[in-house]
Amino acid sequence: MGLINAVYVQDDFASVLSIKKKRKSYHVVDSELLDTGSLKEYLKKRGSFYVSVEEDELIDEKITLSSLIKNDNVIRSSILHKLQESLNRQSILFSYKLISHEQHDEKNTYQVDGVYENGYIKSLQSVGKIDDIQNATASRFALFAIAKECIKDDSYFCVYTQANRVMVLAIHNEELIFSRSSTILVENANERQMAIVDEINRTIAYIHQQFRDITFSLIALSGSMSIDDIVPEHLHMLTQLPISVLYPNSFIKGLENEMLQHYILALGALFIPKDLVFLPADILGARQYSMVLQTMLFLSVVALAVSSFFTSQSFTNYSDELDRYESIKNRLIRTVRNTDTYSKQDLQKSWNHLQIAEKYLQYNPLDLMISIKPLTKFIKPTSWKWRLENSYPQTEIEFEKSFKSLDTMYKFEKQFNKIYNDINKSLTITLNNKSDYKKMIFKNILEIKKEKKRPQRASRRRRR
């Protein structure tokens, strides 16, 4: 994977880091501090820039608009119209974020952050082609971004110092709620340290007054004063807040702890939130077009791959079926060749034989036995007569049994008749009762002549 370049531009000098990214970790391959004039030549053969720019003046406003305005372009136009007087005809690059909604008054309040375009673009052009810049923002937003990566407290202060510059951020629930950047005009080193401490203390006191309901847990120092003992001691005494140092060494490798502080704002450019990236609209539009084009190209490649796969699969299935067809065809040809054939005369004889067999073998005594099986299981027949008459079977079955009492004979006859009635639903049975009740001899003869045909349902023509 190619290197990415984190760049921090401040007036006459710039700091550059060449970084190799691997998943969520970053390894610094090369670091350089150089004049802004030589920056473009140094970065000439490099690309993929993440840039933070030192800006003395920023757009930091709260704008209230009607909540009925939903369209992004209309909201942006309304914000520009409200800022028109303070802008003094200067063009800006900005982003907005909803921070409150008044339902009763139907009003939305937006936090508007931005940069003045002319000076900001001039700083970006010192890097090289603006098209090669992936992300760009002002330095305080870069500090905010790296602070969020390092500190997971709910509310805290983040302070950056470099030479005479002091930057103080107040962060609450991962949102930048206040920022101030100032310059200390003191030449003496010791006096400058105390002036910096005093500036930080006054700013923190002002933030406490503005946000009384928020309890800040610590002060995170970064930059040149973070490796000094005097500033942290005095800040702790004045604010009574724990002091820590912003060290992104858990995910940034390749720089010593002290060296990290010199490049902290360059590193912050790697983690800028999307809503705080400031690039010209034409660059963003071209980049979005490129992303859409790449997405469409990727989807086309995927569609082609899927289509090729199914086409290949269909061809394979067709080839397999063709081979199977040829195999069956060859087997059929072999079977025909090995099968005996008969003359028409022989086939006619076989046909006549089958018709006769079908006519006379369609009735079989076993079929009748199966039909009356429940009765023969109840009482064993004493005689059985079966014959074909006019191509239909004629059967006489005799049942006979002696009893010692009429009551027993009656119960037996009742059960016999029940079974007989069940069987008689499918057969045409004539029952001749020859029982002798005086001698207590049960005797019945069944005559089965022909199966009943099931009545067909009458079809009704639909009336039109």
Side-chain angles (χ1 to χ4, degrees), residues 232-248:
E233 288 178 3
H234 282 78
L235 274 178
H236 178 63
M237 290 175 58
L238 293 170
T239 62
Q240 296 299 305
L241 287 173
I243 307 297
S244 67
V245 177
L246 201 62
Y247 274 155

Side-chain angles (χ1 to χ4, degrees), residues 57-87:
E57 295 185 30
L58 293 176
I59 307 299
D60 181 6
E61 300 286 346
K62 291 178 175 57
I63 301 296
T64 301
L65 301 174
S66 169
S67 60
L68 299 177
I69 303 175
K70 305 291 185 182
N71 184 270
D72 175 68
N73 290 331
V74 178
I75 292 175
R76 285 183 167 275
S77 298
S78 301
I79 289 173
L80 283 173
H81 179 72
K82 290 235 176 184
L83 293 175
Q84 190 172 9
E85 292 183 7
S86 60
L87 291 178

Side-chain angles (χ1 to χ4, degrees), residues 185-216:
L185 301 177
V186 178
E187 295 296 332
N188 182 277
N190 292 332
E191 292 179 2
R192 185 169 63 247
Q193 285 181 327
M194 297 311 298
I196 289 174
V197 170
D198 187 53
E199 174 67 21
I200 295 171
N201 182 49
R202 284 201 309 269
T203 304
I204 289 176
Y206 175 79
I207 295 171
H208 277 307
Q209 291 178 354
Q210 296 298 313
F211 303 96
R212 295 178 183 276
D213 56 336
I214 298 177
T215 301
F216 294 92

